[in-house]
Amino acid sequence: MDDARMFDVDLRALIEVLGTNLYTGPGVYVRELLQNAIDAQTVAGRPDEPIEITADGSDVVLADHGVGMSAGTIADLLGTIGASSKRDPFGFGSTSQIGQFGVGMLSGFLVGDRIEVSSRADGSEPVVWTGSSDGHVEMRAGERAETGTTVRIEARGDAKMWLAPDRVRTLAAEYTGMHPTPVLVNGDRVNPGVGLFGDPSGGRDAARVAFCQDEFGFTPLEMFEVEVPEAGLRGVAFVRPTGGDLVARAVHRAYVKGLLVGDVPGLVPEWAYFVRVVVDATGLKPTASREGIVHDDLFDAVAASLGDQIQAWLTGLGARPALRERFLAVHEQGVKALAAHRPELLGFVDKHCVFETNVGPMPLATFRARFDTIRYAGSIDDYRVLADVLAGRGIGLVNAGHAFETAAIRAIVAADPSMRCEPIGQQFLLSALTMPSREVRAEFDGAVHVARRAVSPFQCEVTLRAFEPESVSGLLLTDDTAQIAQDRSEMLSQTAGEPDAWLAALSAIDDGEAAPTRPSLVLNVTNPLVARLPTLADDVVAGALVRAIYSQAMLRARRSVRVAAASELDSAITLLADLATRDRIEGTSE
């Protein structure tokens, strides 16, 4: 029975290849041993028998109650690199067994210099196979009484940490966290008795929450099941309670036949950034290292199906208002950001995501039901200037100035040609507001000249309009080009004479370009304060009043006030305050 021979390959070189090119770390030996043991017990019809591991830092021993191996089987499998007992005569793998590759046992050499396999199969004599990392192997008669296999690995000096009890316990729990076969490490079970796909009454939901907390690091906002029968896949999607990274590539936890493969990218469409998914499948193919999934046609079909199911959950939030509000409170901006590039999300954004409008916050679908045309302001500044005035004229306006909202609106409109849409800028207001009558314009002619002189330091035009509400004395209208030009001019004036190549380049550009459109102060002739301008005989007082109106318009537009403008406004307010004080003093003395 005794037999000694050598591998027909350089085993040390092979181990180096396994450790540096196939596997990501030495700890995979635990997974490979467990995989073999689980498969052996599955074939033997004893999947519920415990797999027992003992570890003390020097040795690790794994014992199963599987089918065992005869001397001939061991010689074929452990003496021939690449052989596997888990393929049929045509070379295809079993759907019930996990491993497909005959190099799994050799992973033990990543942490040990010697492996001993004691095994017995039904109808065969027990046998012991011993292999060393120098390539020497031997086989002898064993003494095992029951069927099954025991594997012992003796630690290599520099790898004892991988055989420490705590490390082995952690690895075994991680790899078999989804498998029902009990796994004991030094007598304690390390994989949970309650699975993620069991009976709801058996603590399944609590197990799901615990899994999400332990593995993904958050308590889910919501959980829902996913399945792809053609891949033998079942899983759980966990909805994030906080916003995710829209740029980072998301990964999802994958198991094959109950044993961990790892975190796999591409399993769920990238637009579904708000979920993390854990799945267990029988049909997906692991890579040779069992640390990834082969991206074949079935994998692509699974990703598409999971995307459809996540989209269906998202659509279903329409009938669950409480959950929808909680979801949108966290993910609304992220969903809007992706909607412009992901048609799957457009319907949800249209019906459920809320946009600020001048008639109250509402989804675009509700806004369209109230107004024929989706008019939107592409900047927050434009919206602030236009909102109240257009509302007073019965014109609806959407604030699309927040990040990604303009792109989302355009994508929604592009998907339905029947929708009417119009971007609105501040200059739209000049055509929408009523021009005063000729008589009123003649009455204000002198006042307009005074007003233009008063705001000339601000490089601002003055025009007249009549609009509601009359409580608004004036509007400051500008476009982005004019605002940028003003900012640049202010910056250059404050740094005059300082050597700066970048500022000099800006100045050269300014010298060669025509001046852009200037901002306009629109005076509302229906406002009581503005209506007094033509009656003021003192141009100094009238100018101070105009600068005060300009100040109000800047505040309404929420524009930042420059140092020079602030000084002018302070002077105007001081003058008005002095006049008011003088009037009171003179009235008292009389």
Side-chain angles (χ1 to χ4, degrees):
M1 184 70 182
D2 290 349
D3 185 23
R5 53 191 178 128
M6 299 292 291
F7 278 112
D8 293 331
V9 298
D10 184 344
L11 186 55
R12 290 187 184 275
L14 178 61
I15 294 170
E16 180 70 17
V17 170
L18 293 178
T20 59
N21 296 289
L22 184 61
Y23 299 125
T24 57
V28 297
Y29 84 92
V30 175
R31 182 195 63 210
E32 297 294 341
L33 296 182
L34 284 168
Q35 168 188 302
N36 291 337
I38 290 171
D39 283 344
Q41 292 195 170
T42 299
V43 173
R46 293 187 287 271
D48 297 331
E49 291 287 331
I51 295 171
E52 301 173 63
I53 302 175
T54 57
D56 60 10
S58 297
D59 295 340
V60 64
V61 179
L62 183 146
D64 68 55
H65 304 276
V67 292
M69 294 178 288
S70 66
T73 301
I74 288 181
D76 290 339
L77 296 181
L78 300 184
T80 305
I81 304 304
S84 175
S85 64
K86 300 160 188 175
R87 297 191 179 98
D88 63 23
F90 299 99
F92 295 100
S94 164
T95 59
S96 62
Q97 293 175 264
I98 303 167
Q100 304 295 336
F101 305 94
V103 298
M105 183 66 70
L106 296 178
S107 66
F109 286 119
L110 295 174
V111 296
D113 281 328
R114 185 172 182 274
I115 299 176
E116 180 183 276
V117 179
S118 174
S119 188
R120 179 171 188 165
D122 280 335
S124 299
E125 294 297 319
V127 62
V128 176
W129 177 95
T130 303
S132 301
S133 59
D134 61 6
H136 184 82
V137 300
E138 68 176 44
M139 199 155 42
R140 67 179 189 275
E143 300 178 354
R144 188 183 182 97
E146 68 282 354
T147 60
T149 300
T150 299
V151 179
R152 178 190 298 275
I153 299 175
E154 296 179 5
R156 194 171 59 247
D158 60 349
K160 287 188 176 182
M161 67 183 72
W162 294 101
L163 280 72
D166 289 344
R167 179 68 64 88
V168 173
R169 184 179 295 107
T170 298
L171 291 170
E174 179 180 336
Y175 289 130
T176 62
M178 201 72 66
H179 207 283
T181 297
V183 176
L184 309 181
V185 177
N186 291 342
D188 297 325
R189 181 166 182 171
V190 297
N191 54 344
V194 178
L196 301 191
F197 309 111
D199 187 341
S201 63
R204 183 199 66 185
D205 289 346
R208 289 177 174 178
V209 172
F211 179 92
C212 187
Q213 292 172 334
D214 294 341
E215 303 300 328
F216 294 152
F218 62 84
T219 301
L221 183 71
E222 169 78 346
M223 306 178 295
F224 59 95
E225 294 183 359
V226 293
E227 63 175 354
V228 185
E230 57 267 35
L233 181 147
R234 54 184 181 174
V236 182
F238 300 99
V239 181
R240 296 175 181 269
T242 58
D245 189 338
L246 304 184
V247 178
R249 194 178 188 190
V251 293
H252 303 273
R253 189 66 50 85
Y255 293 77
V256 171
K257 300 167 189 173
L259 207 63
L260 176 66
V261 171
D263 290 331
V264 177
L267 191 62
V268 167
E270 291 183 3
W271 59 260
Y273 76 93
F274 48 84
V275 299
R276 291 288 300 274
V277 172
V278 55
V279 301
D280 185 23
T282 59
L284 294 177
K285 298 177 183 178
T287 58
S289 67
R290 285 197 48 79
E291 295 176 311
I293 300 294
V294 175
H295 284 220
D296 53 13
D297 290 343
L298 182 59
F299 183 92
D300 293 339
V302 165
S305 178
L306 293 178
D308 290 342
Q309 293 175 63
I310 295 170
Q311 184 180 353
W313 175 85
L314 197 61
T315 303
L317 291 180
R320 306 172 67 187
L323 178 59
R324 183 179 69 245
E325 293 304 316
R326 289 167 55 207
F327 175 81
L328 289 177
V330 176
H331 296 292
E332 185 168 37
Q333 289 304 314
V335 171
K336 286 179 180 177
L338 292 175
H341 310 286
R342 302 294 179 182
E344 304 94 332
L345 298 174
L346 291 178
F348 180 82
V349 171
D350 184 35
K351 294 178 181 178
H352 303 298
C353 287
V354 174
F355 289 75
E356 182 183 7
T357 82
N358 62 345
V359 290
M362 64 184 67
L364 292 176
T366 304
F367 186 86
R368 287 200 313 277
R370 184 166 179 175
F371 301 97
D372 292 336
T373 302
I374 299 179
R375 292 186 173 91
Y376 67 89
S379 77
I380 296 177
D381 288 339
D382 284 355
Y383 177 80
R384 289 168 177 166
V385 171
L386 300 172
D388 292 342
V389 177
L390 292 185
R393 298 179 61 82
I395 300 175
L397 183 67
V398 177
N399 180 8
H402 297 289
F404 314 112
E405 291 187 341
T406 294
I409 291 174
R410 289 175 177 171
I412 290 170
V413 173
D416 185 355
S418 66
M419 293 185 189
R420 298 174 59 188
C421 181
E422 181 182 3
I424 299 298
Q426 293 182 31
Q427 297 306 314
F428 171 84
L429 208 53
L430 289 178
S431 61
L433 299 180
T434 302
M435 178 68 74
S437 67
R438 182 178 301 177
E439 291 78 9
V440 172
R441 294 202 302 272
E443 179 186 351
F444 271 83
D445 188 56
V448 169
H449 288 294
V450 172
R452 285 172 177 164
R453 288 198 304 270
V455 296
S456 60
F458 313 138
Q459 300 181 18
C460 184
E461 295 287 347
V462 176
T463 187
L464 299 176
R465 289 294 188 272
F467 55 86
E468 296 293 334
E470 67 176 23
S471 59
V472 177
S473 58
L475 298 172
L476 183 62
L477 303 186
T478 186
D479 57 24
D480 290 339
T481 303
Q483 186 63 39
I484 292 171
Q486 279 196 331
D487 292 342
R488 182 185 299 170
S489 176
E490 178 75 10
M491 178 178 61
L492 292 172
S493 68
Q494 292 179 359
T495 57
E498 296 181 8
D500 190 304
W502 184 71
L503 292 177
L506 286 179
S507 180
I509 293 173
D510 285 344
D511 291 342
E513 290 186 346
T517 303
R518 298 175 65 180
S520 294
L521 176 62
V522 182
L523 298 177
N524 182 11
V525 297
T526 68
N527 175 263
L529 187 61
V530 174
R532 296 185 61 181
L533 283 175
T535 67
L536 296 177
D538 190 332
D539 289 351
V540 175
V541 175
L545 181 58
V546 170
R547 288 196 292 274
I549 293 173
Y550 177 86
S551 174
Q552 289 181 332
M554 287 196 71
L555 292 174
R556 177 176 292 277
R558 300 188 187 180
R559 298 284 190 186
S560 59
V561 180
R562 296 177 177 83
V563 175
S567 178
E568 292 282 351
L569 297 174
D570 286 344
S571 298
I573 294 171
T574 300
L575 174 61
L576 294 175
D578 288 343
L579 291 173
T581 304
R582 184 187 65 187
D583 290 343
R584 285 200 303 273
I585 293 174
E586 292 177 352
T588 302
S589 63
E590 292 177 358

